[in-house]
Amino acid sequence: MRKKIVAGNWKLNNTLDQGLKLASEIVNMMNDEVKEDVSVVLGTPFIHLSSVSKITNGNANLHVAAQDCSTHSSGAYTGEVSVSMINSTGASHVIIGHSERREYHNETNEELATKVNLALEAGLTPIFCCGESLNIRESGNHEAFVSNQLSESLFHLTEEQMSKVVIAYEPIWAIGTGVTASSEQAQDMHKALRAYLATKFGQASADNTSILYGGSCKPSNANELFSQPDIDGGLIGGASLKSRDFIDIIKSF
Ligand code: PGA
């Protein structure tokens, strides 16, 4: 059985104090209200990782993620943060290949493959992001484009390694725009990606891979999205910054 997962991506938001307040609210509401077996991940800026990990420690369903990691393990790379540094904070996950990193930092599928390898070696769970632009969607090549993102960054892995990877499908045209992919569009892509994973890793492995949807997911549309057979949860940006909305999304399964 694959895991249900809701991951928040705080992006470039929240000072340390604001982040700790938000994390504490989420911990309290999770303990009081969330009875379902859902893995919840808080994707915070690097500076929050250690303190948020301490707060979330007591709830086995709560995890902390970095939003990126370096392609290097150590050395003269000013400003970079390595997987072992992330690991040492108590964080257990790392978001890799978010479209904003691909776009603003020119991250390539090849570099992302390196980051996935490093994350797995360090014992971190990669949340690997993929998704197409509006142009590609309109040209009708979206399935081939996203499949290629998977093959170039993940298809070198063993089945055992792949069992530790979470995928987040995020159509770029739906991120932060208020335009959500329809549940049908999202389901079609998730089903296609799962079938594609099966061609490389086998059906059992594909069936066990959690594939999250991201892009303007909110309390009002989460239930419909999460009810689709191939959607196993969400990667949530804007709505993860408000504890009430985030918890309501978690309760939408
Ligand atoms: P959004 O962002 O929920 O604000 O659209 C999702 C994401 O970028 O992960």
Side-chain angles (χ1 to χ4, degrees):
M1 262 291 281
R2 51 188 183 252
K3 273 192 207 143
K4 295 175 186 170
I5 302 171
V6 175
N9 178 7
W10 293 2
K11 307 191 180 182
L12 182 58
N13 293 293
N14 289 324
T15 61
L16 184 56
D17 284 353
Q18 289 165 340
L20 291 182
K21 181 170 176 285
L22 175 58
S24 304
E25 287 169 12
I26 291 167
V27 170
N28 291 336
M29 290 166 134
M30 279 279 293
N31 291 341
D32 291 348
E33 300 179 36
V34 179
K35 307 290 169 234
E36 277 244 33
D37 194 17
V38 183
S39 277
V40 174
V41 184
L42 304 182
T44 79
F46 290 125
I47 64 143
H48 298 74
L49 292 175
S50 174
S51 355
V52 170
S53 294
K54 288 192 183 94
I55 299 182
T56 53
N57 221 344
N59 186 323
N61 281 335
L62 260 173
H63 311 278
V64 179
Q67 297 171 15
D68 180 39
C69 62
S70 177
T71 51
H72 303 285
S73 299
S74 65
Y77 301 102
T78 303
E80 295 282 286
V81 176
S82 72
V83 286
S84 60
M85 292 173 187
I86 294 167
N87 204 12
S88 73
T89 66
S92 53
H93 291 59
V94 55
I95 298 171
I96 291 178
H98 190 280
S99 60
E100 288 151 15
R101 302 248 9 130
R102 291 175 187 264
E103 185 179 350
Y104 307 139
H105 301 270
N106 300 318
E107 293 191 351
T108 63
N109 290 339
E110 197 186 359
E111 280 167 338
L112 299 177
T114 302
K115 292 187 182 195
V116 169
N117 292 344
L118 289 169
L120 290 170
E121 276 166 29
L124 296 172
T125 301
I127 301 178
F128 179 79
C129 301
C130 54
E132 80 287 355
S133 65
L134 189 57
N135 276 350
I136 293 170
R137 166 69 56 170
E138 285 173 346
S139 73
N141 290 326
H142 44 287
E143 278 185 22
F145 179 85
V146 180
S147 296
N148 186 56
Q149 290 180 320
L150 296 194
S151 61
E152 291 195 355
S153 298
L154 299 177
F155 275 23
H156 62 286
L157 298 176
T158 63
E159 194 184 321
E160 161 74 16
Q161 287 173 315
M162 188 59 211
S163 71
K164 304 194 169 100
V165 176
V166 174
I167 291 176
Y169 167 61
E170 301 200 300
I172 297 170
W173 45 273
I175 295 177
T177 56
V179 180
T180 317
S182 68
S183 50
E184 197 186 350
Q185 285 172 318
Q187 165 58 22
D188 284 353
M189 181 62 96
H190 283 227
K191 189 174 171 202
L193 295 182
R194 199 178 302 288
Y196 189 56
L197 288 173
T199 63
K200 169 67 187 170
F201 298 103
Q203 194 61 48
S205 166
D207 285 342
N208 278 323
T209 304
S210 296
I211 308 181
L212 316 183
Y213 168 79
S216 298
C217 185
K218 43 194 179 241
S220 56
N221 59 26
N223 177 261
E224 197 188 330
L225 287 161
F226 296 175
S227 316
Q228 304 303 312
D230 287 289
I231 300 183
D232 307 308
L235 179 55
I236 320 296
S240 75
L241 298 172
K242 294 189 192 123
S243 51
R244 181 71 269 155
D245 284 358
F246 190 56
I247 293 290
D248 285 347
I249 291 171
I250 296 165
K251 289 161 76 180
S252 295
F253 283 100

